[in-house]
Amino acid sequence: MRAYRSSNTKSGSSRFTARVAALSLGAAITAISGSAFAQTINVWSGYPEMAPFYEHVAEGLKEKYPDLKINVEAIALREHEKRIALGLTSGSAGVTVIELAGSTASRYIENDLLPAAPEAVANFVTNSDNFGAFFVDAASKNGTVYGVPLFRGQGALFYNVDMFEAAGLNEPPQTMEAYTDYAEKLTQRDADGKATVSGWSLRLSGGGQGIAEKFWINLFQFGGSVIEEVSDGKWKANYANEAGRKALKQYLENVHVLKTVTPEMPADAEAFERGQTAMFIRESWVIADIAAKAPDLNYATAPLPVGSIALPANLYVNSVEGEDAEAAWAYVQAANDPENLVWLLDNVGWLPNRSGVDYSVVTDKVPAYGAFVDYPEDYKFFTLPAIGPIEEVLTRLAAQLTNAYSNPVLAEDDAAIDAVLAKAAEETNNILKREGLLAE
């Protein structure tokens, strides 16, 4: 499988939509923008590292909106989610551009707390020259466009080239079975055999749904999924099976049998940047983070064996009426200006979703992005379903997984693993049934 080495370089309403004849970004913004007037809009993000990008977009709008005040507030994701829940349900948010995953936005759309995008904006989104069907679907609900795609989180393998070479490994692992073999060879231990550098950093603890999302990525490589759509709008759990057993057992074997990693060891991007783990699966933002924090790190990236989660973040506006709302939608589309998207990739590292943009100025400079944009033709993607209870499904599953990861008895007992998965799947199906979403 191809590897990509780092070059260590830092890398409205309908009343105004009828005026839009062309579908280009510039034409849409021109139609939306009017004469200068005092306006204030908010921009809410759940990723602090996105703040400079949103400020950059705001700076670019000053010529068209010299009196526009844009308040950018980028905070931690969990706090962002709480803020949205309070702001939208209480109506206290003011006119706000809201960054959200389609799966999270779904429940607000279902409760009429987020309006459909203006026609001109929807036309921009559905233009196949701008976005592929995967991203249009992620920004839509029941065929209606509500948001504008912006960026995505997409997983790939990051690995320490020096550690691979020291272990006699000259290419990235190409199967999930090889991941375990590599982890064992890459683990560094002290004189007592205790791991001091993990061979493969796994998400074993922490709050929220992230644990279940990371498990889903590994599960996907084995052919499973947390839930699957059986018929139109009807779902069921899809992990109490052989794929689920293989995925969970791989975690347990690495923690309790091979001891290539422990819940107490440094983990994730910080550990990788400090040389405390040899490899881990993460999104493209890590590339910019490494450039800033560990510019001399000799690392490379590679696609995953089968495919990756792709979590598109969209921009929504909580209003389509009034001049502030028009300015907010203009801001949303300006964020998709090609120059801004190249800036996003180059300076933040999240992957823009818009098609037809030349990103080579960045990818030529930073080859590590290759694993995220140059993958096999049969590479597959999945995303979190846009159903109301998806976060509850994942959060409940994460709790079950956290308990399982800490139980050494499970590691060599397939029947016990199956029982854990069956119990968790029953809880998942009960949530779906409560919401009228369970496939019978």
Side-chain angles (χ1 to χ4, degrees):
M1 183 172 288
R2 197 170 181 182
Y4 301 85
R5 293 189 177 226
S6 166
S7 61
N8 294 326
T9 303
K10 288 190 179 181
S11 57
S13 67
S14 58
R15 60 191 172 85
F16 65 90
T17 60
R19 303 200 304 269
V20 183
L23 294 178
S24 68
L25 177 63
I29 292 179
T30 300
I32 292 174
S33 55
S35 58
F37 44 80
Q39 299 160 293
T40 299
I41 63 174
N42 304 310
V43 179
W44 287 358
S45 169
Y47 298 90
E49 68 272 17
M50 285 292 291
F53 169 74
Y54 290 124
E55 295 285 5
H56 179 79
V57 176
E59 187 69 22
L61 278 183
K62 283 187 175 181
E63 184 176 349
K64 286 184 179 295
Y65 292 94
D67 298 320
L68 176 62
K69 180 179 180 181
I70 302 176
N71 301 315
V72 175
E73 300 176 16
I75 61 178
L77 185 58
R78 300 294 171 250
E79 297 305 311
H80 174 59
E81 292 169 347
K82 294 176 184 177
R83 170 177 63 181
I84 294 170
L86 178 61
L88 289 183
T89 57
S90 67
S92 62
V95 175
T96 303
V97 175
I98 302 174
E99 172 201 278
L100 271 177
S103 56
T104 304
S106 179
R107 67 172 179 265
Y108 297 113
I109 294 171
E110 291 171 356
N111 288 283
D112 298 323
L113 295 174
L114 286 175
E119 185 179 351
V121 177
N123 288 341
F124 171 71
V125 172
T126 57
N127 183 349
S128 60
D129 289 339
N130 294 328
F131 301 101
F134 178 86
F135 298 110
V136 175
D137 290 346
S140 305
K141 182 78 172 179
N142 298 326
T144 298
V145 173
Y146 286 85
V148 177
L150 182 57
F151 67 91
R152 68 187 182 275
Q154 177 184 319
L157 176 70
F158 288 77
Y159 63 95
N160 186 302
V161 173
D162 293 336
M163 292 184 187
F164 268 53
E165 291 178 351
L169 303 170
N170 56 21
E171 66 177 3
Q174 300 185 34
T175 66
M176 290 309 287
E177 291 76 14
Y179 268 68
T180 295
D181 293 340
Y182 275 46
E184 189 172 13
K185 294 176 181 178
L186 291 161
T187 302
Q188 299 177 32
R189 306 180 187 276
D190 61 19
D192 297 322
K194 181 180 179 180
T196 56
V197 174
S198 63
W200 178 15
S201 181
L202 294 166
R203 180 72 176 271
L204 300 171
S205 60
Q209 68 190 56
I211 292 173
E213 289 180 9
K214 298 301 184 290
F215 175 77
W216 197 338
I217 293 172
N218 289 20
L219 174 66
F220 188 69
Q221 313 309 311
F222 289 109
S225 59
V226 171
I227 62 173
E228 66 172 346
E229 190 170 19
V230 177
S231 58
D232 190 22
K234 298 296 181 179
W235 304 77
K236 71 173 182 179
N238 185 37
Y239 57 89
N241 49 33
E242 183 180 6
R245 184 192 310 122
K246 288 181 176 180
L248 180 51
K249 188 170 184 176
Q250 185 170 53
Y251 275 83
L252 294 166
E253 286 183 336
N254 274 276
V255 174
H256 299 295
V257 180
L258 303 173
K259 302 184 186 302
T260 66
V261 65
T262 70
E264 297 77 27
M265 296 185 76
D268 207 65
E270 184 175 2
F272 188 71
E273 292 160 357
R274 294 180 175 181
Q276 296 169 324
T277 189
M279 64 180 183
F280 76 129
I281 296 170
R282 214 54 165 103
E283 298 82 20
S284 61
W285 64 265
V286 174
I287 297 172
D289 203 58
I290 292 173
K293 300 176 181 177
D296 295 325
L297 182 66
N298 187 16
Y299 77 100
T301 60
L304 303 181
V306 173
S308 172
I309 190 171
L311 298 174
N314 308 314
L315 295 183
Y316 301 83
V317 179
N318 61 344
S319 177
V320 291
E321 297 294 337
E323 294 173 338
D324 283 2
E326 291 187 20
W329 284 107
Y331 177 94
V332 166
Q333 290 191 257
N336 262 290
D337 180 274
E339 293 182 359
N340 285 334
L341 295 178
V342 171
W343 194 97
L344 171 63
L345 182 61
D346 194 22
N347 292 275
V348 182
W350 285 110
L351 301 171
N353 293 336
R354 188 177 178 188
S355 306
V357 178
D358 183 5
Y359 299 109
S360 62
V361 66
V362 180
T363 57
D364 289 350
K365 181 171 60 175
V366 189
Y369 283 115
F372 297 90
V373 298
D374 184 15
Y375 37 77
E377 290 185 5
D378 59 350
Y379 206 61
K380 301 175 182 177
F381 290 104
F382 73 93
T383 193
L384 302 186
I387 57 174
I390 187 59
E391 291 180 345
E392 182 182 1
V393 166
L394 293 172
T395 300
R396 295 285 187 89
L397 176 58
Q400 300 264 16
L401 290 171
T402 302
N403 290 334
Y405 295 158
S406 64
N407 186 352
V409 175
L410 295 176
E412 298 180 287
D413 189 341
D414 286 2
I417 292 176
D418 289 347
V420 168
L421 294 172
K423 179 182 177 183
E426 181 181 12
E427 183 175 38
T428 295
N429 286 333
N430 283 339
I431 294 171
L432 296 171
K433 184 176 182 179
R434 185 194 69 205
E435 300 297 323
L437 297 171
L438 181 64
E440 300 295 346

